[in-house]
Amino acid sequence: MKDNLNLFTADLHIHTCLSPCAELEMSPKEIVKKIKKLKIDIVAITDHNSSLNIQGVRDASRGLDFKLFYGMEITTREEVHLLGYFYTLKAINDFQKFLDSHLENTDNPKIFEEQVIANGKDEVLGFCKKNLYMPIDLSIEQTIDSIHSFKGIAIPAHIDRMGFGIVGQLGFIKETLKIDGIECYDRNSEIAKSYLKRYPTLTSSDAHKLDDIGKRITIFKMKDRSFKEFKFALRGEKGRRILFL
Ligand SMILES: [Zn+2]
Ligand SMILES: [Zn+2]
């Protein structure tokens, strides 16, 4: 029976040149060019502790046929990487204002010169003077609550990676943690397998260089590419879901 739902490919974990550990080649225009070539339907920019390059990617992608989600990979006090996704640019920018008061400043050029803010034409606008590699001063519970208070979605990143993964850092995922899903690199890893049944699971590239964009994707069955549908798919509502191929 026809259900009016479609399949969409998504890579919801991509860093730009703003992330200190990402390559400089991860500029807004180059990222957009690569997404266009790969024909990915939905992508999210998720820099470490910052949303400053999302505007640039949004401007570079104007008129193109893919959907951009607004995300961030926050490093909590426990050094757990937690992905936050937000409905609108305003919502993530408001969340950033809140987060900035929980982040360290830096005046060390060796640090901030690795944190490049670029516009949609790949022009350098400046450098981020927060130390994006350092954890914020909030616990994972506080960070999840904060993301939710801005109507965002909270998903622990790469749970099957030891460094900065929730299981590697904390030993396990507490059932009381109010997360909306999990992300893993490999659904067949022992860690992922032990949580797949409990949580909706995303697989994304965590690209830090152009060649890695799209190397892992999630397939969604949804009506359209809206954030609202993404939320339905995470909750398995109205027939929307994540597909495993
Ligand atoms: Zn990470
Ligand atoms: Zn990442």
Side-chain angles (χ1 to χ4, degrees):
M1 202 175 77
K2 186 108 181 68
D3 56 10
N4 275 333
L5 300 179
N6 304 291
L7 299 187
F8 298 104
T9 55
D11 182 351
L12 301 182
H13 190 159
I14 298 173
H15 292 267
T16 77
C17 49
L18 176 62
S19 291
C21 44
E23 301 291 325
L24 200 58
E25 64 178 16
M26 293 298 267
S27 63
K29 269 175 82 175
E30 292 300 317
I31 290 173
V32 166
K33 213 192 283 177
K34 183 78 181 185
I35 296 164
K36 195 179 154 199
K37 195 172 151 204
L38 294 172
K39 298 190 169 68
I40 303 170
D41 297 312
I42 310 167
V43 298
I45 295 301
T46 52
D47 280 310
H48 291 293
N49 296 322
S50 183
S51 61
L52 280 171
N53 268 357
I54 293 177
Q55 182 70 58
V57 175
R58 193 164 97 137
D59 290 344
S61 63
R62 230 169 266 276
L64 293 177
D65 186 31
F66 68 84
K67 174 79 178 173
L68 182 66
F69 283 175
Y70 310 122
M72 195 188 290
E73 184 174 26
I74 302 138
T75 308
T76 71
R77 195 169 63 199
E78 304 86 349
E79 303 205 330
V80 170
H81 281 181
L82 182 70
L83 293 159
Y85 299 106
F86 298 84
Y87 260 107
T88 61
L89 198 54
K90 182 179 183 315
I92 197 167
N93 289 340
D94 287 347
F95 178 76
Q96 183 74 61
K97 279 181 211 147
F98 158 79
L99 202 70
D100 279 347
S101 60
H102 299 280
L103 271 166
E104 272 178 25
N105 293 314
T106 179
D107 50 16
N108 180 349
K110 276 199 182 119
I111 294 172
F112 69 69
E113 283 176 3
E114 300 284 321
Q115 304 179 158
V116 182
I117 306 165
N119 67 12
K121 294 177 188 158
D122 279 5
E123 294 160 346
V124 174
L125 298 178
F127 304 101
C128 177
K129 300 283 183 70
K130 295 285 178 184
N131 193 341
L132 299 181
Y133 204 70
M134 293 300 284
I136 59 170
D137 64 4
L138 298 174
S139 70
I140 186 163
E141 284 88 355
Q142 289 171 318
T143 312
I144 292 166
D145 285 347
S146 313
I147 292 170
H148 286 157
S149 72
F150 287 85
K151 307 243 182 311
I153 285 173
I155 293 185
H158 43 67
I159 66 152
D160 48 351
R161 191 185 111 182
M162 282 300 110
F164 301 107
I166 186 168
V167 178
Q169 296 299 119
L170 303 177
F172 64 102
I173 305 178
K174 258 200 267 180
E175 288 207 31
T176 51
L177 215 53
K178 292 182 235 140
I179 50 177
D180 303 289
I182 52 173
E183 183 208 65
C184 69
Y185 282 167
D186 177 4
R187 286 180 198 281
N188 293 313
S189 67
E190 286 309 312
I191 292 177
K193 279 197 287 190
S194 55
Y195 291 104
L196 283 176
K197 285 208 177 78
R198 206 203 287 176
Y199 300 108
T201 306
L202 307 179
T203 41
S204 295
S205 70
D206 194 6
H208 287 71
K209 57 183 201 287
L210 290 170
D211 276 348
D212 284 348
I213 295 175
K215 78 173 179 186
R216 281 183 290 267
I217 53 163
T218 305
I219 298 172
F220 290 98
K221 191 174 185 189
M222 311 190 287
K223 189 163 165 236
D224 55 45
R225 295 178 286 187
S226 64
F227 196 79
K228 197 170 129 197
E229 287 284 314
F230 169 49
K231 271 190 155 178
F232 285 148
L234 283 175
R235 298 195 206 117
E237 285 176 8
K238 304 182 183 205
R240 278 70 165 168
R241 58 196 177 95
I242 295 166
L243 285 193
F244 307 107
L245 297 181

